[in-house]
Amino acid sequence: MSGTSAPTSVRMPVMAPDECFRAFLVAASTGKIFSEEEAETIFGLIMDGAATESQIAAFLMAMRVRGEQPSELLGAVRALRVRMTVVDHVPSDTIDVCGTGGDGHGTLNVSTAVSFVMAALGVPVAKHGNRALSSRAGASDVLEALGVSLDTDPAVLGADLHTRRLAFLSAPNHHPAMRHAAGARKALGVRTLLNFVGPLANPAQVKRQLIGVSAKQWMKPIVDTLEKLGSERIWCVCGEIPGDHPDGIGAYIDEVTLAGPTRVEALENGKRLSFSLTPDMAGFQTAPVSAIAGGGPVENAVALEALLHGSKGPYRDTVLLNAACALHVAGQGVLLKDQQPDPAALVRLVSLAAHVLDNGAALAVLNASRARHAAGKAALEGRAS
């Protein structure tokens, strides 16, 4: 008697992670645009070590050449956020101030200096930074040159935000998965999508950010991404630099600038706003980007300390202009009137920031950070002896 056999399931072949990435790399070379879900998978493979350095470099450049897409940014940020080491129990009004880098200008460290000013004003800052990848001196490099400790314990960092109002979150300590892409990024030495991804994955999960970009087409997608991920107030800024620009030097800079107008794409109380700031609104004269040209970590550290000691000039004015914007983002002042910048309000907030530079309060924040580093070093040496 014949019978009918029960249907059997067909086992589909499962690609190994490295084979899967190679397939995505081939697709990228043909110009394919990836969905948010695909991008999360791709960047998850990169962050999990499934791709070689040369493959990662090839993929990042293929995306850059054909133009990275908002869906790919959102997917990459999601991939990084689920893999990061989080700092919990931070003050609800904590902010971050950072630039995405890759503008080719090699300026002094503006957002790091702003962090000391903001902490001196009582605003908690979870300053997210990295070592130089597409620049000469990243935030972590300069802090190290200043003798500032980069703590790794999330509990200590969270406590710092409550007590000292400042915590430096070194990207390698909180995004270990990104180490797989570090070699490729440094070898390329140009802006890639990953320049945007890190600043959108602050380990303290801040809801307020002043974030600078050097590619104006990315301003809206960056704010869109942060809004979808739950941010409350965002200013994405892009400084415009007038004139001719030699190869490798962009017409934009990733901060509020003295060189020309700064475009702002903002998320304010659930509303989206677009406007421009100019240095004269704050009473500052324009100055070329070359006026704040930086060098290596030691040179930039010397300039930052001189600033905190009261040194005047374009570096100070640039920091004050950015700090005034950060105060608005933090809810410590209102810079807008009828959804446009109010010059009188901008001048008031610049004055507040200038006060803590002139009275030594911002320098005291640096010195307290140094003292803590020295105490920790001495304790380690004592245990070792």
Side-chain angles (χ1 to χ4, degrees), residues 238-284:
C238 181
E240 297 187 3
I241 304 169
D244 297 328
H245 304 280
D247 291 343
I249 303 296
Y252 301 96
I253 190 168
D254 65 343
E255 59 207 20
V256 185
T257 185
L258 299 177
T262 296
R263 298 188 183 192
V264 183
E265 182 76 22
L267 172 65
E268 294 263 339
N269 302 318
K271 296 180 180 179
R272 295 292 293 273
L273 307 175
S274 298
F275 50 87
S276 292
L277 290 168
T278 54
D280 63 286
M281 290 180 179
F284 294 132

Side-chain angles (χ1 to χ4, degrees), residues 172-246:
N173 296 336
H174 297 274
H175 300 301
M178 287 286 275
R179 71 186 185 278
H180 298 293
R185 295 178 67 192
K186 195 164 186 68
L188 289 172
V190 297
R191 196 273 307 156
T192 71
L193 188 69
L194 290 178
N195 279 82
F196 303 137
V197 173
L200 305 192
N202 185 290
Q205 303 177 92
V206 297
K207 302 298 183 184
R208 294 175 178 243
Q209 283 183 264
L210 174 65
I211 181 168
V213 297
S214 59
K216 65 178 181 177
Q217 70 270 24
W218 277 100
M219 297 175 70
K220 186 177 184 299
I222 283 173
V223 180
D224 287 343
T225 297
L226 289 171
E227 184 176 20
K228 289 173 183 175
L229 293 171
S231 291
E232 297 170 356
R233 178 173 285 184
I234 301 295
W235 273 30
C236 185
V237 301
C238 181
E240 297 187 3
I241 304 169
D244 297 328
H245 304 280

Side-chain angles (χ1 to χ4, degrees), residues 372-385:
R372 176 179 177 158
H373 175 71
K377 185 177 180 180
L380 285 173
E381 290 172 349
R383 285 198 293 267
S385 62

Side-chain angles (χ1 to χ4, degrees), residues 79-309:
L80 183 57
R81 285 193 174 200
V82 299
R83 290 167 174 81
M84 70 183 179
T85 302
V86 172
V87 177
D88 286 319
H89 310 301
V90 305
S92 60
D93 58 342
T94 300
I95 70 166
D96 187 14
V97 183
C98 68
T100 57
D103 59 25
H105 294 289
T107 59
L108 296 168
N109 299 75
V110 173
S111 60
T112 304
V114 170
S115 300
F116 289 110
V117 172
M118 297 298 287
L121 288 165
V123 177
V125 182
K127 175 69 180 87
H128 192 201
N130 205 345
R131 297 196 179 278
L133 290 169
S134 57
S135 64
R136 291 183 63 190
S140 296
D141 301 309
V142 171
L143 290 167
E144 187 176 78
L146 285 166
V148 174
S149 160
L150 297 175
D151 289 298
T152 59
D153 186 339
V156 171
L157 292 165
D160 283 346
L161 286 167
H162 287 277
T163 58
R164 299 193 302 129
R165 317 306 281 175
L166 181 60
F168 292 109
L169 313 182
S170 179
N173 296 336
H174 297 274
H175 300 301
M178 287 286 275
R179 71 186 185 278
H180 298 293
R185 295 178 67 192
K186 195 164 186 68
L188 289 172
V190 297
R191 196 273 307 156
T192 71
L193 188 69
L194 290 178
N195 279 82
F196 303 137
V197 173
L200 305 192
N202 185 290
Q205 303 177 92
V206 297
K207 302 298 183 184
R208 294 175 178 243
Q209 283 183 264
L210 174 65
I211 181 168
V213 297
S214 59
K216 65 178 181 177
Q217 70 270 24
W218 277 100
M219 297 175 70
K220 186 177 184 299
I222 283 173
V223 180
D224 287 343
T225 297
L226 289 171
E227 184 176 20
K228 289 173 183 175
L229 293 171
S231 291
E232 297 170 356
R233 178 173 285 184
I234 301 295
W235 273 30
C236 185
V237 301
C238 181
E240 297 187 3
I241 304 169
D244 297 328
H245 304 280
D247 291 343
I249 303 296
Y252 301 96
I253 190 168
D254 65 343
E255 59 207 20
V256 185
T257 185
L258 299 177
T262 296
R263 298 188 183 192
V264 183
E265 182 76 22
L267 172 65
E268 294 263 339
N269 302 318
K271 296 180 180 179
R272 295 292 293 273
L273 307 175
S274 298
F275 50 87
S276 292
L277 290 168
T278 54
D280 63 286
M281 290 180 179
F284 294 132
Q285 294 184 341
T286 59
V289 171
S290 59
I292 59 168
V298 173
E299 294 95 328
N300 286 18
V302 168
L304 199 158
E305 185 164 7
L307 167 77
L308 299 184
H309 275 281

